[in-house]
Amino acid sequence: MTLRRVVVTGLGALTPIGNDVSTYWNNLAAGVSGAGPITKFDASKFRTQFACELKGVDVTQYIPRQEARKMDAFTHYALIATDEAVKDANIDLEAIDRNKVGVIWGSGIGGLRSFEDEMIDYAKGDGTPRINPFFIVRMIADSASGQISMRYGFRGTNYVTVSACASTNNAIIDAFNYIRLGRLNMCVVGGSEAAVTRAGIGGFNANRALSERNSDPQGASRPYDKERDGFVLGEGAGSLILEDLDHAQARGAHIYAELIGGGMSSDAYHITAPHPEGLGAFLAMQDALNDAGIQPSEIDYINTHGTSTPIGDPQELKAIYQLFGDHSFQMNISSTKSMTGHLLGAAGAVEAIASIKALEHQLVPPTINLVNVDEEIDSRFNLTPLTAQARPLTTVMSNAFGFGGHNAIVIFRKLS
Amino acid sequence: MSEIAQKVKSIIVEKLGVEESEVTPEASFTNDLGADSLDTVELIMEFEKEFNQSIPDDEAEKILTVGQAIDFLEKNAGQAGK
């Protein structure tokens, strides 16, 4: 059978450096950091006291207060970003077959704050379980995709993918396959995370995964720099409308890019550490190139996973060199986590959007704070340090790897 | 209006997002104030917490209106907390 082609026709972003796609992109291009002191709880006793929080989001502008209080923040973020994406895609809800529109969402954790608050409240009592009836629905990760479907009446395939920081890329690849196979005409994909909480910061601190550069939050996310000391936790959401090319053209939709390949693998190695030679990353990138049917030399830019951890960053680059050889030094590489922080399950979503906007503007967003490249890293890589670089871009890759050894890669291309 | 009635009203306004003027003694949670079954469970739980009372399921099932809630809570006020 002939597979259908899949394109991106709508984007929505709610990020630590912009509450909509255009602000997000402008700040990416300008190299703005979203980091600052934690405001969501008293972090004074935590090893890490900063994060990339969202700024100035008034949830009730988007969701009636009575509905909003039955949802966790990660679901609020999902709805807000998806509102922008649906508007951007200019979808006439009455004109399309909404039974063939799915929602496949990614979240690494789900409603962490809701879980914490309810259990803290319970622990303060005398043991009588007065658990709020909305507790479970606020907390479970799939409430995000469920709420999106209810808001728009999208009755196609609906679920949430959970593969830690690879979650959204898995969601994108699943939707890609359903549309290619003709099972869906459109699908809302994306991811959201709201883990800047006591359990989130405390838990990742206990893993020794977070930067503890409390004196300089904006300089803390510094992928590939020799002074990097861990990732900076971010929060927010990204939402994309994937659509069958014919369907998009028939309704005259604006097409940002074509999704041409998805690759997946598992490290089968360790619960938190990546494979020392980057084997899983290599296999997933290779799988994505094979799926797209393109040569390694066709990739112009990789938006890396690059979290700014001492162990993870060099291994991803090793895998890139192993797969791309000397072309590794011709392409651009950057980690936009240097600006957004690490949005965990939503990382793939906001980075897919960064990659697509890079294609649109023919501009590679930078890796900020990259002042001195780690000696362990080959100096021939163009890691797009400090400032954005203009260059012709046709095909871009976006990488995501998650605790548990999950690897998921997507490739976008300018529509030809 | 008793202190209990005032608190009951404000819990309902807060949880169901309705106007205070709608919260009359005769108003039914589900028919008049837009509550679904989970909202009703939440209201009963909030009453339990606020007034430190335990409302058994068979009693809770009979509390369908604002007035019935106030009556129950006033009748049981000061008795057997928890």
Side-chain angles (χ1 to χ4, degrees), chain A residues 284-301:
Chain A
M285 287 189 286
Q286 186 180 54
D287 190 40
L289 290 173
N290 288 341
D291 187 44
I294 62 171
Q295 297 303 312
S297 59
E298 293 180 61
I299 298 291
D300 301 309
Y301 165 48

Side-chain angles (χ1 to χ4, degrees), chain A residues 322-401:
Chain A
Q322 205 188 336
L323 182 60
F324 292 90
D326 284 347
H327 180 66
S328 307
F329 311 130
Q330 309 304 316
M331 66 168 80
N332 269 75
I333 291 170
S334 75
S335 169
T336 45
K337 288 187 182 75
S338 57
M339 295 171 276
T340 61
H342 188 354
L343 275 67
L344 305 179
V350 297
E351 288 160 25
I353 293 170
S355 304
I356 291 164
K357 294 298 282 184
L359 273 181
E360 183 182 14
H361 292 273
Q362 300 286 290
L363 184 75
V364 177
T367 306
I368 67 166
N369 298 318
L370 177 49
V371 180
N372 296 301
V373 177
D374 189 339
E375 288 98 2
E376 212 187 319
I377 292 170
D378 194 316
S379 61
R380 290 174 292 173
F381 285 112
N382 179 358
L383 300 169
T384 325
L386 304 176
T387 51
Q389 293 178 16
R391 69 169 284 164
L393 294 170
T394 304
T395 311
V396 299
M397 177 181 264
S398 177
N399 289 359
F401 314 132

